[in-house]
Amino acid sequence: MTFHSKIDSFFIRFLLAAILIIATVSFVPLLFEGAPFSAFVIVSSTFFVTTALILWITFAIRYVFLEQHLLVKAGPFRSRIPYASILKVSPTRDIFTGYRLLSSRDAIELINNTTMFGTVKISPEKQDVFIAELKKRCPDLKIDGRLS
């Protein structure tokens, strides 16, 4: 069973602002320095590769329930979280810190003993269905009362 990440308008605005800042920092110096054409080609290539990677990571977020583990994918990044290691699910609106593969402020935090920081923040589209499926696969899972 596969779930896509919810995408909210705040995250879209944040992403567009980040890309605009990267574009400004990349291209404005070229306008004032009389840079050679080769510098423009290198900066343009770097900008487009960076932007493509950011967009790929943002819009290709998937949460896949497999036989033995939850696979969390965002572009080239993947995490396999065994169901036995997932201890608790809590709501969170903190999307700027920790290990996060999400694109919405309406997120949940999976507390586990496998990932680097012991938590992973995700934002599945159908959060209630996702949690119900997770509960089926993790019978000892503790669910924060704010999610009920």
Side-chain angles (χ1 to χ4, degrees), residues 36-133:
F37 182 72
S38 61
F40 181 76
V41 170
I42 291 168
V43 168
S44 296
S45 300
T46 303
F47 171 74
F48 288 120
V49 167
T50 302
T51 301
L53 182 64
I54 290 170
L55 294 174
W56 181 30
I57 290 169
T58 301
F59 294 109
I61 299 174
R62 306 278 184 271
Y63 315 115
V64 183
F65 285 97
L66 298 174
E67 192 69 31
Q68 298 296 320
H69 59 271
L70 176 65
L71 178 63
V72 182
K73 302 188 310 185
F77 304 106
R78 301 176 192 309
S79 289
R80 287 178 175 80
I81 306 170
Y83 298 124
S85 75
I86 301 173
L87 308 171
K88 183 178 178 184
V89 178
S90 302
T92 185
R93 292 185 63 80
D94 179 18
I95 65 170
F96 295 113
T97 60
Y99 181 47
R100 61 211 180 280
L101 297 169
L102 50 76
S103 54
S104 173
R105 288 184 294 181
D106 182 23
I108 57 176
E109 185 171 23
L110 300 178
I111 299 163
N112 64 80
N113 54 20
T114 302
T115 57
M116 184 183 305
F117 299 112
T119 69
V120 62
K121 296 173 185 175
I122 62 174
S123 59
E125 271 183 330
K126 298 174 183 169
Q127 208 173 84
D128 54 340
V129 177
F130 180 89
I131 293 171
E133 183 65 27

